[in-house]
Amino acid sequence: MPRVNRTAVLSLLIVSSSVFLLFQLYYYRKYVSKVRHRQQHKKFLALAQRFRLPLFLADTAALTLLSQDALRQRDRLVREPHCSFLCTGRPITSFALHANLWKYDPGLLLAAQQKGFDLLELRGEDPRLASLDTLSGEEIPLHFLFRLHGHVVQVVFLYERSGNYLWHGALRLKANMDRNFAPFKLLDYGRHPGAYDRPELVLTVLDGLDIRIPRNISRFLNEQQHAHFLECRYRDARNFLQLYPDDSSPEALDFRRKVKSLLHLAARTLARLDIPFWLSSGTCLGWFRQCSIISYSRDVDIGIFVVDFNPDMVAAFRDAGLSLKHKFGKVEDSLELSFLSDDVKLDVFFFYADGNVVWNGGTQAKSGKKFKYIFPRFSLCWAELLELKVRVPCETLDYVTANYGDTWSIPLRTWDWKTSPSNVQENGVWPPAEWAELIQVY
């Protein structure tokens, strides 16, 4: 039987013991870190409860960890200090505050400092007070950052807007603020303003703490990814209207009323079908240029990506009281729908992706000629028009310039859809044998 090498055995035992010790140290540090983070959250939530802050958890990492099983368990029976959901490994936890349900109390900030928190309060102009007549200079709280032992709790203020949605502002540091206060690039909220539907909240227990969360977590997380909001350019719009006063005749006012009703109706109808749309053509130009509609345009224009087309659209609009005026093209090429409501036309343009551009088609009914309108690729942002939360191209200037050229800021009452747009080009002719199917006028 071979002799045992005592040196080798001893070395193996030392290495094994060292690995085990390092593992224990790692586990201990991780455990202590979680306990400390839970205590920080507990201290913060106690402070929030004392001042009756209408908070809910908005942290994307923490909400992603939540499952229906975790919510059902509610972890009420776990007694030891733990941190399964709130301790995500990130140095930030985000909460949202329904600002309209809370009266600002400066005592909160003093109490937080007494509890050992470092605090950074960020304010910005209140867009709800801005209009074409008045530019708001009043500032409101937008974000609170509470820091304790290197961990930051972000509180995002959500304000109700006239379009029945919630809005938060961008996080902008002023010149005298500490740029090392928090890892700002890691924040879930604040890189740009955001808009959200009002979430339904439920009270649950996470890591032994009572916390409100969105009932539909996946919907909220999806909203958070696409929440970018563009404010109307009131200063530019006011300058435009000083040069070109808007029509205030009874006919123009009646047209605006009808457009508002039609736009709200279209939004509700498409929302039921889960079809996203955006303001296009003259309706988009009106929002961008003058924060309103163009009173002499006589119609409403919206865009939809053709991949979102739903064949139930026509029936849904008909059930909503709109009649189909024409249907041009087909899903594979140059589809266009037009509906009529109370003598105002709703034009629905379907957009097709083609490399680094997108385009929508047009058809001349009497000749079968096809046209193509080319736009640079764009993403979608939220905006508000006529007290409605609607989408617009985020790259609005590029979108408008593509359609109306560099002179988009000069009103044109004479417009030929076949020749006037800067981005129009001829695109062939529909075969006469297919006209009955592809050119339908009612």
Side-chain angles (χ1 to χ4, degrees):
M1 185 174 183
R3 296 179 60 186
V4 177
N5 189 324
R6 295 183 179 181
T7 302
V9 172
L10 183 60
S11 299
L12 181 60
L13 289 174
I14 292 173
V15 170
S16 301
S17 300
S18 299
V19 171
F20 182 68
L21 179 60
L22 289 173
F23 174 78
Q24 285 185 313
L25 288 173
Y26 169 78
Y27 180 80
Y28 177 75
R29 288 183 62 183
K30 190 173 182 179
Y31 176 79
V32 170
S33 175
K34 284 196 170 188
V35 171
R36 187 172 63 185
H37 281 173
R38 182 183 178 278
Q39 290 301 320
Q40 291 171 5
H41 290 128
K42 184 177 181 180
K43 184 181 291 189
F44 168 75
L45 291 171
L47 191 67
Q49 185 177 19
R50 173 184 165 188
F51 286 88
R52 298 182 179 180
L53 299 183
L55 293 176
F56 67 90
L57 183 66
D59 190 88
T60 57
L63 290 175
T64 301
L65 291 174
L66 292 173
S67 65
Q68 292 304 312
D69 287 338
L71 290 178
R72 281 195 292 267
Q73 292 171 6
R74 302 287 179 98
D75 56 275
R76 296 179 184 275
L77 302 178
V78 182
R79 301 301 181 187
E80 73 277 12
H82 65 292
C83 201
S84 302
F85 299 105
L86 296 178
C87 299
T88 61
R90 300 174 71 244
I92 298 167
T93 305
S94 301
F95 289 86
L97 183 151
H98 198 316
N100 292 70
L101 302 179
W102 184 65
K103 183 178 180 181
Y104 180 83
D105 186 347
L108 168 67
L109 310 183
L110 179 60
Q113 292 172 338
Q114 292 173 345
K115 292 287 186 181
F117 287 97
D118 297 321
L119 178 68
L120 186 62
E121 179 182 2
L122 297 112
R123 290 174 166 264
E125 289 189 3
D126 188 347
R128 299 169 301 169
L129 302 179
S131 68
L132 292 177
D133 299 321
T134 304
L135 299 179
S136 170
E138 182 177 333
E139 289 196 338
I140 53 176
L142 298 178
H143 300 265
F144 283 168
L145 298 179
F146 297 86
R147 185 179 66 187
L148 183 64
H149 303 311
H151 188 84
V152 174
V153 173
Q154 179 184 17
V155 176
V156 184
F157 281 71
L158 295 175
Y159 292 90
E160 292 186 13
R161 297 287 294 262
S162 58
N164 195 32
Y165 61 95
L166 299 177
W167 168 93
H168 72 74
L171 192 156
R172 298 290 180 264
L173 295 178
K174 296 183 179 179
N176 60 341
M177 290 182 172
D178 181 6
R179 279 163 166 69
N180 295 318
F181 185 90
F184 292 102
K185 291 183 179 180
L186 298 180
L187 294 177
D188 285 333
Y189 303 87
R191 283 185 290 276
H192 46 67
Y196 296 80
D197 291 335
R198 187 178 289 101
E200 181 183 358
L201 303 177
V202 294
L203 180 64
T204 188
V205 178
L206 297 180
D207 301 338
L209 302 172
D210 291 338
I211 297 178
R212 284 181 174 81
I213 63 171
R215 179 182 292 277
N216 191 330
I217 293 175
S218 59
R219 178 178 176 180
F220 180 82
L221 290 174
N222 183 64
E223 277 196 276
Q224 194 273 340
Q225 292 178 353
H226 305 93
H228 194 167
F229 181 87
L230 298 181
E231 200 66 59
C232 174
R233 307 180 318 141
Y234 284 115
R235 286 181 175 83
D236 293 330
R238 189 166 68 172
N239 293 336
F240 171 82
L241 292 173
Q242 286 176 346
L243 291 173
Y244 310 101
D246 208 357
D247 187 354
S248 58
S249 66
E251 294 78 14
L253 295 177
D254 185 54
F255 176 68
R256 291 190 188 95
R257 178 188 61 79
K258 291 177 180 178
V259 167
K260 179 178 178 179
S261 176
L262 177 57
L263 199 55
H264 280 247
L265 180 62
R268 290 195 301 270
T269 304
L270 293 173
R272 284 194 288 269
L273 296 174
D274 197 25
I275 298 176
F277 75 93
W278 66 90
L279 304 182
S280 190
S281 303
T283 308
C284 182
L285 175 63
W287 171 82
F288 185 67
R289 188 174 66 185
Q290 55 215 65
C291 297
S292 184
I293 61 167
I294 301 174
S295 59
Y296 54 82
S297 63
R298 313 316 301 172
D299 58 15
V300 174
D301 304 309
I302 64 174
I304 296 175
F305 287 117
V306 74
V307 294
D308 294 318
F309 171 75
N310 185 326
D312 295 332
M313 280 182 58
V314 174
F317 276 120
R318 183 185 300 116
D319 292 343
L322 277 67
S323 58
L324 182 63
K325 189 174 186 298
H326 71 240
K327 175 180 179 292
F328 295 151
K330 52 187 176 181
V331 175
E332 296 79 15
D333 183 10
S334 304
L335 182 63
E336 176 188 341
L337 300 174
S338 183
F339 300 89
L340 195 63
S341 171
D342 199 9
D343 73 17
V344 178
K345 191 156 58 79
L346 173 69
D347 288 326
V348 184
F349 302 109
F350 290 88
F351 281 65
Y352 299 76
D354 185 7
N356 61 349
V357 301
V358 294
W359 60 274
N360 71 281
T363 295
Q364 186 179 33
K366 64 180 180 180
S367 67
K369 286 185 177 181
K370 299 168 59 181
F371 299 86
K372 178 184 288 190
Y373 305 85
I374 300 174
F375 297 83
R377 285 266 192 172
F378 56 88
S379 52
L380 294 177
C381 287
W382 290 109
E384 182 178 325
L385 177 65
L386 303 175
E387 297 184 338
L388 178 67
K389 181 170 74 110
V390 291
R391 293 178 179 89
V392 297
C394 298
E395 302 80 6
T396 323
L397 178 59
D398 295 338
Y399 190 87
V400 167
T401 302
N403 214 176
Y404 297 96
D406 294 329
T407 58
W408 58 266
S409 60
I410 301 175
L412 287 178
R413 289 181 175 268
T414 302
W415 184 262
D416 185 336
W417 62 271
K418 302 181 297 300
T419 59
S420 297
S422 300
N423 59 343
V424 66
Q425 58 182 239
E426 293 188 5
N427 192 32
V429 181
W430 291 113
E434 299 180 17
W435 284 18
E437 178 186 355
L438 303 180
I439 306 176
Q440 300 179 13
V441 180
Y442 302 91

